[in-house]
Amino acid sequence: MYAQIVESTGKAVKTLNEMEGEERVFQERINAGGKIEPKDWMPDGYRKTMVRQISQHAHSEIVGQLPEGNWITRAPTLERKAILLAKVQDEAGHGLYLYCAAETLGISRDQMFDQLHSGKAKYSSIFNYPTLTWADIGAVGWLVDQAAIMNQVPLQRSSYGPYARAMVRICKEESFHQRQGFDIMMKMCEGTAAQKRMAQDALNRFWAPSLMMFGPPDADSVHSAQSMAWKIKMNSNDELRQKFVDAVVPQAEFLGLTIPDENLAWNDKKGGYDFTDPDWQEFMAVIHGNGPCNRERLAARVKAWDDGAWVRDGLNTHAAKKRKAAKPVAG
Ligand code: 3HC
């Protein structure tokens, strides 16, 4: 039995002793490390939380193509262009596995797109920041994909089967993405003084937004307590943020770059770095549609959807014709 945890909203998460019937069997299965599959009984709140998290994650992958896709035509060499193209295609694939995983919970793809395009659904705050230089593509791979891996590796053990399984392949590919980003940063840092300045500038701009990717501080996280009890989330937002900082600091030292935080210092007692919180007011503005690129990102997705209408119409018409042709003739 897990200990009672109290959400920041003040609402208590039920203990096993307070549950009975199907709810108790469900929680016991989760506590024992079992997986929940689409046709299994689940509480409405679990279904709702899974749909929210998986669809937000899928939207993040799809919107996340935009800041990098922006650099495909300007990549400095043919090799870099091919690598970036493959990475952006991987993100589309991740979005598709995740939309499929969410569909197993009873929401349709059209409903999810509608939520994204109307601004109702969230996607990761990080993709509302611009990629101004080629070094930003390095920083996105190094920092953003690393933050994504930090968060997603534990999700391979999360309780919802289709989500956990999708995460296995996604994590393998994210790991390649992170390495290609670090490789760009290494090249820039070994290059001219101007290239190294570009790398430092990219780190300066992407550092705080990368810390925000893990979500609000634990004390302000609305969903963490219940999601951790259901093993939808395996770690708290602050735990993962700390892990990320501890991993990135030595990498920055290796590159010869400076983390833009005067308060960054090793803390022997906690066995990790102390660091300055990002600006949480800025975070709230970004996740509520008022970041530097929110409007541009959403407009690009809506345009892609509208421009693709003729393809969807054609495919639907073709599928309907095939269904009609396959119908056995009565008689
Ligand atoms: N960006 C946007 N919204 C965020 C956010 C962020 N970085 N962090 C938190 N939020 C939102 C939550 O969605 C929630 O809003 P809602 O109630 O309207 O849905 C609110 O802020 C409160 O936050 P909580 O901590 O209570 O929310 P969660 O328990 O859901 O934790 C999370 C947030 C850690 C992001 C969690 O949802 C999660 O682990 N999601 C799965 C991973 C994911 O979505 N990653 C996206 C990263 S980008 C990516 O993978 C693309 C790759 O190519 C780099």
Side-chain angles (χ1 to χ4, degrees):
M1 186 178 75
Y2 56 86
Q4 177 155 347
I5 315 166
V6 180
E7 285 184 3
S8 57
T9 53
K11 203 176 118 203
V13 173
K14 269 191 192 171
T15 63
L16 196 57
N17 287 338
E18 291 167 321
M19 297 176 192
E20 46 189 45
E22 283 171 317
E23 190 183 13
R24 191 182 170 109
V25 174
F26 172 87
Q27 188 63 53
E28 278 172 342
R29 188 152 157 206
I30 287 180
N31 292 355
K35 291 273 179 267
I36 305 302
E37 297 299 337
K39 290 192 175 148
D40 293 339
W41 183 90
M42 60 186 85
D44 287 346
Y46 181 90
R47 186 182 297 278
K48 218 171 127 195
T49 304
M50 276 322 314
V51 167
R52 179 185 63 80
Q53 181 164 321
I54 303 175
S55 63
Q56 285 180 0
H57 190 168
H59 298 325
S60 304
E61 301 282 356
I62 296 299
V63 177
Q65 294 179 102
L66 296 169
E68 292 183 295
N70 179 34
W71 276 90
I72 291 172
T73 53
R74 290 177 287 163
T77 65
L78 183 60
E79 192 190 2
R80 290 288 182 200
K81 189 193 287 268
I83 294 171
L84 186 58
L85 199 55
K87 178 179 193 279
V88 172
Q89 283 172 342
D90 283 353
E91 311 296 5
H94 298 173
L96 297 184
Y97 315 143
L98 290 165
Y99 285 128
C100 288
E103 281 171 322
T104 64
L105 290 153
I107 187 167
S108 73
R109 190 87 55 113
D110 281 353
Q111 282 172 304
M112 287 185 271
F113 281 133
D114 193 48
Q115 289 173 355
L116 173 66
H117 299 156
S118 65
K120 192 175 160 222
K122 291 193 172 70
Y123 56 85
S124 184
S125 48
I126 191 74
F127 301 120
N128 292 306
Y129 290 85
T131 43
L132 303 176
T133 69
W134 174 251
D136 288 8
I137 298 303
V140 167
W142 172 37
L143 300 173
V144 174
D145 290 300
Q146 184 158 196
I149 296 170
M150 227 32 125
N151 173 273
Q152 289 164 25
V153 164
L155 292 178
Q156 294 176 110
R157 291 180 285 113
S158 95
S159 60
Y160 190 57
Y163 188 47
R165 289 189 288 274
M167 218 51 69
V168 174
R169 177 157 174 188
I170 291 177
C171 285
K172 283 188 184 152
E173 292 176 352
E174 292 297 358
S175 160
F176 151 68
H177 296 173
Q178 191 270 338
R179 279 154 195 246
Q180 69 82 40
F182 192 73
D183 188 60
I184 293 176
M185 293 307 266
M186 275 202 322
K187 272 277 176 318
M188 303 283 298
C189 291
E190 287 162 358
T192 62
Q195 285 168 329
K196 188 153 183 190
R197 271 199 305 278
M198 275 170 73
Q200 181 65 54
D201 173 58
L203 169 59
N204 293 349
R205 284 180 291 106
F206 276 92
W207 175 250
S210 299
L211 297 180
M212 294 175 191
M213 284 178 71
F214 298 95
D218 289 352
D220 300 326
S221 169
V222 188
H223 304 292
S224 282
Q226 182 61 73
S227 289
M228 287 175 76
W230 278 330
K231 296 195 183 170
I232 287 173
K233 272 171 91 160
M234 310 303 284
N235 303 87
S236 79
N237 300 355
D238 286 336
E239 270 168 30
L240 291 174
R241 196 171 3 257
Q242 181 70 53
K243 230 175 139 197
F244 172 78
V245 172
D246 295 344
V248 172
V249 172
Q251 294 165 2
E253 278 166 8
F254 179 83
L255 290 170
L257 297 177
T258 308
I259 302 279
D261 180 355
E262 285 176 1
N263 299 319
L264 188 81
W266 178 258
N267 180 332
D268 247 342
K269 213 162 140 200
K270 77 172 179 188
Y273 286 90
D274 288 331
F275 58 94
T276 308
D277 261 348
D279 178 347
W280 293 118
Q281 270 185 351
E282 177 182 318
F283 169 76
M284 291 311 282
V286 173
I287 70 170
H288 288 107
N290 297 314
C293 300
N294 293 62
R295 284 171 192 79
E296 186 185 328
R297 299 291 186 239
L298 217 51
R301 287 312 315 159
V302 171
K303 183 177 183 311
W305 178 255
D306 291 345
D307 289 352
W310 67 274
V311 180
R312 292 191 299 279
D313 286 350
L315 288 172
N316 283 333
T317 308
H318 178 67
K321 272 190 190 163
K322 272 186 93 173
R323 269 198 305 275
K324 205 170 157 196
K327 250 192 197 156
V329 185

